[in-house]
Amino acid sequence: MAFRKAVKGTALIGGGAIATVFGLSQFSQYRNKHGALVEVQAAEVVPVKNQLPTREQQILALQTNSEFDVIVIGGGATGCGCALDAATRGLKTALLERYDFSSGTSSRSTKLIHGGVRYLQKAIMKLDFEQYRMVKEALEERAHLLQSAPHLSAPLPIMLPIYKWWQLPYYWVGIKLYDLVAGSQCLKRSYVLTKSRALELFPMLRKDKLVGAIVYYDGQHNDARMNLAIALTAARYGAATANYAEVRGLLKSTDPASGKLRVCGVRCRDVLTGKEFDVRAKCVINATGPFTDSVRKMDDEEVPNICQPSAGVHIVMPGYYSPDNMGLLDPATSDGRVIFFLPWEKMTIAGTTDSPTDVTSHPIPTEEDINFILSEVRNYLGADVEVRRGDVLAAWSGIRPLVTDPNSKDTQSISRNHVVTISDSGLVTIAGGKWTTYRAMARDTIDAAIQEHNLKAGSSKTMGLRLEGGQDWSPTLYIRLVQDYGLESEVAQHLASTYGDKAFEVAKIAQVTGKRWPIVGKRLVSEFPYIEAEVVYGVKEYARTAVDIISRRTRLAFLNVQAAEEALPRIVDIMGKELNWSEQKKKEELETARKFLYYEMGYKVKTDQLTDSSEISLVPSDIERYKKRFHMFDKDKKGFITILDVQRVLELMSAIQKGHVSGSRLAVLMKSAEENLRRRAAIPVDRSGGGV
């Protein structure tokens, strides 16, 4: 029976492969004919600004220009992509973002640059040409992203473990078709592994019933930094690019030719100063992701919604949960969803969930979603690997702006194709799509804007265009940073992979450590290679809040919430000097950043778990013993011990994290820590987990 199912599934895929091969051959001929031309077009575009304008200069440009060709609302990947596409075509462009660049969905992704294996499966099984076309386009754009910002992205092998014999031919054919659709843009060919080889490469994998594995390649990137690189590149090409610039409404005027009201600009508010002003343009583009419909309703209150938001939760765990350079794909979770388990920034990222949600600027991960991901991870890791709730270092929720059929309730079946719509008043809206295809989405949007508003511009010039930091980057650039500036090797590698060829600008402003080695580069926290100079440079990159620094200029909040909280006071001090903050402003920034960590990055769900649903049962003798030990730990006699205090001394007590006490393990840990305290004075101890 199982064999017949395997044959049937393979036959279905094989039938779809015929159409795929034919389409691929036509596509390859086109690329061979036109590929060189694309690179030449990109090379002809020269940035007009060597120095980034300050945010104040950008705001002034918005206020003083009489009319732009294009205003783009939204500073996510798609919005910044639209601004870059328009600016490189020679259009006078403005980009407005209510919060910070990449503050929404674009910084909360799975960090993959991919065509979508699951979408290809649906395309073939359902003979859905639109899904197939989306995968094909995404694979082409995947190659572009890897080339345009090589310092921020790289190919990543992803393992698909096989636990049933009949699945091996089924998934092998599917993955080979994925390679085939990519054609000349295939990163590396997929291959099959024996059980022993799979365990050698991924030793944490569950061994029992493992048949073998298939490994295929996709791309991975630093999503927030990639988004920022697009925005900064647009600024260098002349776009008036401003974060914390909120659109309060649309301006309209009567078209003399038709007598109809047409959108002619926006009412804008500088969030940092409160000042409002009008910005006029021939064309206004709505690229606001999950907030697409709210901007459309500024134009027409009666317009029906076209987006159905879907929440996706991710968690970050210590790096020892996965190999340094091998991801894992669970193609069929207990409820039919897909889970990725990937190395990222020397940590392990796991996700995602997929459930309908309300649109909000501050999505919050739930304990239910976190536990679902942990449960799925346990299914694939060996019994000797204890997957602990306390090892969740950060958690976040992102809202996908899916284009929906109004009658559909199942967001899992919705394709992430993008659509460009134009209202009767001329508002251009780009909705749907995915991170990987941002450039193609921007190209299609600007093409539509040019046609609708008779703008004078040529074709898109962004294919092959290097983004901020990518022009002179090389894999060995970090060595020069070590040799020329005396940076730690780990810090130098981090700077090179984050800023590309702009890493030298960060190194130049790095402070002297006062040590023999490293010579420069004071770390914000000991466990991570982020240095104080990045805060100063982040301000030059338009960072205006502490949250901007911990979540998007650096990725500290996404890697370890407690480390981010520890770094906050120093970050606020540095930003205060750069931006002339008062003491009151510093306090407000600290409070806002801590609320961000508490609600949006997973601190709250852990606190709720410990205080609301956890009970620790102790007998009277235990209470007396632990009271004595408590007073020994509380050497400052402050009368309390924080969660962080306990974790630092006891190296993250697994028993307490799970809500009950395992006497033997707790006793051993407490006794060991107690003996250490008796033998010597307390010394700083770095966290080994520090989960949220």
Side-chain angles (χ1 to χ4, degrees):
M1 184 65 182
F3 180 75
R4 285 202 299 271
K5 288 183 179 180
V7 172
K8 181 180 179 181
T10 304
L12 284 171
I13 295 177
I18 298 174
T20 304
V21 173
F22 176 76
L24 182 64
S25 64
Q26 300 299 314
F27 175 66
S28 296
Q29 290 177 14
Y30 177 85
R31 284 195 60 81
N32 290 337
K33 182 178 180 181
H34 299 283
L37 179 60
V38 169
E39 295 296 332
V40 171
Q41 288 178 334
E44 292 173 351
V45 185
V46 179
V48 296
K49 297 181 180 179
N50 291 325
Q51 294 294 325
L52 277 175
T54 65
R55 182 182 179 277
E56 291 68 30
Q57 290 172 329
Q58 299 283 34
I59 292 292
L60 183 62
L62 292 172
Q63 294 173 337
T64 56
N65 269 288
S66 58
E67 185 181 51
F68 288 92
D69 292 318
V70 173
I71 292 175
V72 181
I73 308 174
T78 304
C80 292
C82 288
L84 178 59
D85 192 286
T88 51
R89 298 194 200 200
L91 295 172
K92 186 184 290 186
T93 305
L95 172 64
L96 307 175
E97 163 55 42
R98 175 170 50 177
Y99 299 115
D100 186 28
F101 304 117
S102 196
S103 59
T105 304
S106 296
S107 64
R108 306 178 190 222
S109 72
T110 313
K111 323 303 179 194
L112 282 179
I113 309 170
H114 63 133
V117 173
R118 60 174 172 165
Y119 298 130
L120 181 61
Q121 180 188 31
K122 291 180 181 179
I124 294 171
M125 291 302 185
K126 298 180 180 180
L127 299 179
D128 186 338
F129 181 72
E130 283 302 308
Q131 291 261 21
Y132 166 75
R133 187 176 63 84
M134 184 196 71
V135 174
K136 190 167 179 284
E137 179 180 64
L139 288 171
E140 180 182 358
E141 293 301 319
R142 178 186 69 178
H144 160 73
L145 257 178
L146 291 169
Q147 293 169 1
S148 65
H151 58 300
L152 292 170
S153 58
L156 177 71
I158 300 176
M159 181 181 293
L160 176 60
I162 306 296
Y163 287 92
K164 295 179 181 178
W165 280 106
W166 69 266
Q167 290 179 334
L168 194 58
Y170 176 80
Y171 286 123
W172 180 82
V173 171
I175 294 298
K176 281 301 177 184
L177 280 177
Y178 193 62
D179 292 347
L180 188 63
V181 173
S184 61
Q185 304 289 4
C186 181
L187 302 180
K188 291 184 181 181
R189 297 296 176 187
S190 59
Y191 54 91
V192 176
L193 293 174
T194 62
K195 176 180 178 178
S196 60
R197 181 59 175 156
L199 291 172
E200 182 181 337
L201 294 175
F202 209 118
M204 308 83 172
L205 206 58
R206 180 164 61 87
K207 303 175 180 65
D208 58 301
K209 297 183 181 180
L210 182 66
V211 173
I214 300 172
V215 175
Y216 73 98
Y217 286 80
D218 258 326
Q220 188 178 51
H221 69 156
N222 185 335
D223 52 2
R225 291 295 315 185
M226 183 74 79
N227 193 156
L228 182 64
I230 300 167
L232 296 177
T233 307
R236 289 193 186 276
Y237 279 98
T241 305
N243 56 350
Y244 296 102
E246 179 183 11
V247 171
R248 307 279 285 181
L250 301 178
L251 305 178
K252 292 187 178 181
S253 62
T254 303
D255 182 9
S258 64
K260 295 181 179 180
L261 285 175
R262 302 281 286 179
V263 174
C264 64
V266 301
R267 181 68 175 174
C268 182
R269 174 177 173 267
D270 183 344
V271 175
L272 301 182
T273 64
K275 183 177 181 180
E276 293 193 10
F277 51 91
D278 292 339
V279 185
R280 298 190 175 274
K282 298 171 185 174
C283 171
V284 175
I285 294 173
N286 170 20
T288 53
F291 298 92
T292 292
D293 289 321
S294 62
V295 175
R296 293 175 71 239
K297 290 182 187 298
M298 289 182 183
D299 178 39
D300 180 2
E301 293 182 358
E302 304 300 322
V303 70
N305 291 344
I306 64 171
C307 280
Q308 181 171 319
S310 169
V313 171
H314 295 82
I315 63 175
V316 166
M317 306 175 76
Y320 54 70
Y321 273 96
S322 66
D324 292 338
N325 193 37
M326 179 69 73
L328 187 73
L329 168 64
D330 178 358
T333 61
S334 55
D335 65 351
R337 293 183 281 196
V338 172
I339 289 287
F340 285 98
F341 193 63
L342 311 166
W344 182 66
E345 299 287 324
K346 297 186 178 179
M347 294 295 182
T348 301
I349 182 172
T352 179
T353 59
D354 190 357
S355 55
T357 186
D358 295 326
V359 175
T360 173
S361 300
H362 308 287
I364 298 172
T366 66
E367 185 66 20
E368 180 183 1
D369 284 329
I370 291 172
N371 283 326
F372 167 79
I373 296 172
L374 289 174
S375 176
E376 295 302 323
V377 169
R378 289 188 186 101
N379 290 338
Y380 274 85
L381 297 187
D384 55 338
V385 179
E386 184 181 3
V387 180
R388 307 182 299 182
R389 173 61 180 83
D391 279 340
V392 177
L393 306 177
W396 67 86
S397 176
I399 301 178
R400 304 183 190 91
L402 306 181
V403 179
T404 182
D405 175 354
N407 299 318
S408 174
K409 295 181 180 179
D410 180 11
T411 60
Q412 296 175 58
S413 66
I414 298 173
S415 170
R416 291 165 72 181
N417 285 327
H418 66 272
V419 294
V420 179
T421 64
I422 302 175
S423 70
D424 293 339
S425 63
L427 175 67
V428 179
T429 295
I430 171 67
K434 54 190 294 185
W435 223 122
T436 306
T437 59
Y438 89 90
R439 191 206 66 84
M441 294 166 64
R443 176 201 63 205
D444 294 347
T445 305
I446 302 302
D447 284 347
I450 290 172
Q451 183 175 359
E452 172 68 17
H453 294 276
N454 298 315
L455 304 177
K456 296 181 180 179
S459 59
S460 177
K461 294 178 171 59
T462 52
M463 179 62 83
L465 183 70
R466 286 293 177 101
L467 298 179
E468 177 88 350
Q471 191 66 39
D472 297 319
W473 176 86
S474 72
T476 58
L477 183 145
Y478 79 94
I479 297 176
R480 288 177 54 197
L481 292 172
V482 175
Q483 294 175 337
D484 294 352
Y485 295 93
L487 288 162
E488 291 177 79
S489 181
E490 183 186 12
V491 171
Q493 290 179 51
H494 153 67
L495 294 180
S497 64
T498 302
Y499 303 94
D501 57 27
K502 303 300 179 186
F504 295 101
E505 296 183 18
V506 182
K508 287 176 183 176
I509 59 176
Q511 288 187 326
V512 175
T513 63
K515 302 176 182 178
R516 181 182 62 81
W517 189 263
I519 298 172
V520 300
K522 291 183 179 179
R523 294 194 182 209
L524 289 169
V525 285
S526 60
E527 305 100 310
F528 294 92
Y530 300 111
I531 60 174
E532 293 182 357
E534 293 181 74
V535 182
V536 177
Y537 194 75
V539 172
K540 296 180 180 180
E541 294 181 321
Y542 307 134
R544 286 299 179 270
T545 71
V547 173
D548 296 344
I549 294 293
I550 62 175
S551 60
R552 293 175 286 276
R553 301 312 182 277
T554 73
R555 306 312 309 274
L556 202 49
F558 284 79
L559 295 172
N560 190 314
V561 172
Q562 291 181 357
E565 184 181 40
E566 184 180 308
L568 271 176
R570 183 57 184 148
I571 289 172
V572 169
D573 282 344
I574 296 171
M575 294 190 77
K577 292 178 182 178
E578 293 296 314
L579 298 170
N580 298 315
W581 286 346
S582 65
E583 289 301 316
Q584 180 60 32
K585 174 64 174 175
K586 289 182 182 180
K587 291 179 181 178
E588 291 173 359
E589 282 295 320
L590 271 174
E591 182 64 23
T592 300
R594 284 169 177 157
K595 283 183 178 179
F596 168 78
L597 295 174
Y598 183 73
Y599 288 104
E600 296 185 49
M601 299 309 299
Y603 236 150
K604 182 179 185 298
V605 286
K606 179 60 177 177
T607 304
D608 289 347
Q609 182 198 32
L610 288 173
T611 58
D612 296 341
S613 61
S614 300
E615 294 183 2
I616 301 177
S617 300
L618 298 173
V619 298
S621 60
D622 288 334
I623 294 174
E624 282 302 314
R625 184 164 63 253
Y626 293 135
K627 280 175 64 177
K628 291 179 181 179
R629 287 175 175 169
F630 173 89
H631 292 302
M632 183 172 290
F633 280 67
D634 184 23
K635 296 193 71 175
D636 298 330
K637 300 188 183 302
K638 57 183 181 292
F640 62 88
I641 295 176
T642 66
I643 295 174
L644 186 58
D645 292 334
V646 176
Q647 289 171 353
R648 284 182 172 177
V649 177
L650 302 182
E651 298 186 356
L652 194 61
M653 294 188 304
S654 176
I656 284 183
Q657 292 163 0
K658 294 180 177 178
H660 61 86
V661 172
S662 172
S664 60
R665 185 171 186 181
L666 179 61
V668 169
L669 288 169
M670 293 287 278
K671 186 176 181 180
S672 174
E674 183 181 356
E675 289 174 352
N676 287 335
L677 287 172
R678 284 174 176 164
R679 281 198 304 265
R680 59 188 181 185
I683 60 173
V685 181
D686 292 335
R687 291 181 296 274
S688 65
V692 298

